[in-house]
């Protein structure tokens, strides 16, 4: 696990929100409400993390649409409504420590950092971590740490976590992540084989063990096991 990587400065012009941006952001929030995202803390956090900051240059014009976006390192950013619904299932509170697996653009981690006490996010592509750190610094998210490593192993020296958000699928929930979940903690993750419809599962750690429930059908890119990649 490597943390504290050098960042790529964010162009101040990207942070600026003109009237057109504000209208598109308001429209996105209305769209999220229509698609099942009702939690006011989540909607407020999304408003405070303009998605255009997290988009590749060629996709900033589409950043306020509720759709997946292609991002750097050949990866894909999840649509805001999917992120919002998953965060509702996690029930993140202001006193909680959250582990985010699969940083991607950094958007989901930033949204969670507006709600939780502290967020730790892990990504296997060094280039994505570097970009995300620059975005987090631009938004002054001092309660958010990012690391370059294998997300399937979690972040053991910061465990346990009250909540674990996994932004990729696997055939089963890794034992390492279950072991890093605090008592009464919640983990939400897509479970299934690559290329198939997966089950979004929520696991709660009770005194008598782990209790899982299926929340619905989803399609996520798979988490790739093995060493982190310098890209």
């Amino acid at each position: 696990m490597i943390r504290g990587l050098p960042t790529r400065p964010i162009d101040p012009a990207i942070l600026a929100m003109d009237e057109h941006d504000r209208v598109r952001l308001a429209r996105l929030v209305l769209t999220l409400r229509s698609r099942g995202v009702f939690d006011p803390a989540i909607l407020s956090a999304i408003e405070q993390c303009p998605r255009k900051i997290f988009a590749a240059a060629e996709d900033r014009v589409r950043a306020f649409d509720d759709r997946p976006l292609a991002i750097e390192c050949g990866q894909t950013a999840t649509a805001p409504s999917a992120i919002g619904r998953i965060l509702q299932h996690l029930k993140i509170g202001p006193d909680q420590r959250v582990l985010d697996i699969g940083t991607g653009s950094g958007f989901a981690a930033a949204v969670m950092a507006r709600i939780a006490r502290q967020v730790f996010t892990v990504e296997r592509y060094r280039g994505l971590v570097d970009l995300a750190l620059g975005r987090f610094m631009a938004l002054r998210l001092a309660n958010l740490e990012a690391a370059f490593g294998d997300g399937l192993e979690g972040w053991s020296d910061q465990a346990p976590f009250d909540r674990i958000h996994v932004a990729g699928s696997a055939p089963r929930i890794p034992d390492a992540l279950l072991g890093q979940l605090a008592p009464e903690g919640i983990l939400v993750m897509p479970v299934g084989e690559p290329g198939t419809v997966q089950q979004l599962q929520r696991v709660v750690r009770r005194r008598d063990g782990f209790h899982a429930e299926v929340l619905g059908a989803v399609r996520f890119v798979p988490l790739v096991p093995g060493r982190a990649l310098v890209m």
Side-chain angles (χ1 to χ4, degrees):
M1 187 77 71
I2 304 173
R3 53 201 291 192
L5 296 169
T7 62
R8 304 181 191 182
I10 297 296
D11 182 348
I14 300 173
L15 294 171
M17 293 278 287
D18 59 23
E19 187 61 28
H20 186 46
D21 286 338
R22 285 188 283 273
V23 169
R24 291 191 296 170
L25 179 56
R27 186 180 299 122
L28 172 61
V29 170
L30 290 175
T31 299
L32 298 184
R33 289 181 181 276
S34 72
R35 294 176 178 174
V37 182
F38 304 114
D39 188 308
I42 295 172
L43 293 171
S44 176
I46 289 173
E47 288 182 304
Q48 295 175 67
C49 299
R51 198 176 180 222
K52 73 172 187 175
I53 299 171
F54 300 88
E58 61 272 18
D59 270 334
R60 285 185 193 129
V61 69
R62 293 180 285 275
F64 293 103
D65 297 339
D66 184 30
R67 53 177 286 180
L69 292 178
I71 59 174
E72 298 83 0
C73 298
Q75 301 302 294
T76 302
T78 305
S81 59
I83 293 172
R85 289 192 296 268
I86 288 172
L87 297 191
Q88 286 183 154
H89 291 309
L90 275 171
K91 300 179 180 178
I92 297 171
D95 296 325
Q96 293 172 343
R97 300 171 77 252
V98 179
L99 175 63
D100 173 50
I101 302 300
T103 310
S105 71
F107 177 71
V111 170
M112 289 186 282
R114 294 291 191 190
I115 303 169
R117 176 164 62 92
Q118 197 165 16
V119 175
F120 300 85
T121 182
V122 182
E123 172 59 56
R124 72 188 301 262
Y125 289 96
R126 180 169 183 158
L128 292 180
V129 177
D130 205 12
L131 285 165
L133 280 167
R135 293 158 180 163
F136 300 155
M137 290 183 66
L139 291 172
R140 300 181 181 179
L141 294 170
N143 64 333
L144 208 169
E145 291 191 44
F148 163 59
D150 183 356
L152 292 172
E153 297 298 324
W155 196 329
S156 59
D157 64 351
Q158 293 293 341
F161 302 98
D162 303 296
R163 299 291 185 267
I164 299 179
H165 166 257
V166 185
S169 67
R172 58 188 294 274
I173 297 173
D175 291 338
L177 297 184
L178 292 173
Q180 293 174 31
L181 193 61
E184 302 304 318
I186 299 174
L187 176 151
V188 175
M189 174 179 178
V191 178
E193 297 295 333
T196 66
V197 175
Q198 302 129 10
Q199 294 180 336
L200 186 65
Q201 292 190 12
R202 176 168 58 194
V203 177
V204 182
R205 186 170 196 169
R206 306 290 190 193
R207 290 183 178 180
D208 60 344
F210 296 98
H211 295 255
E213 63 176 314
V214 175
L215 302 172
V218 292
R219 279 188 181 272
F220 274 75
V221 297
L223 293 171
V224 181
R227 66 181 179 87
L229 300 175
V230 182
M231 290 182 66

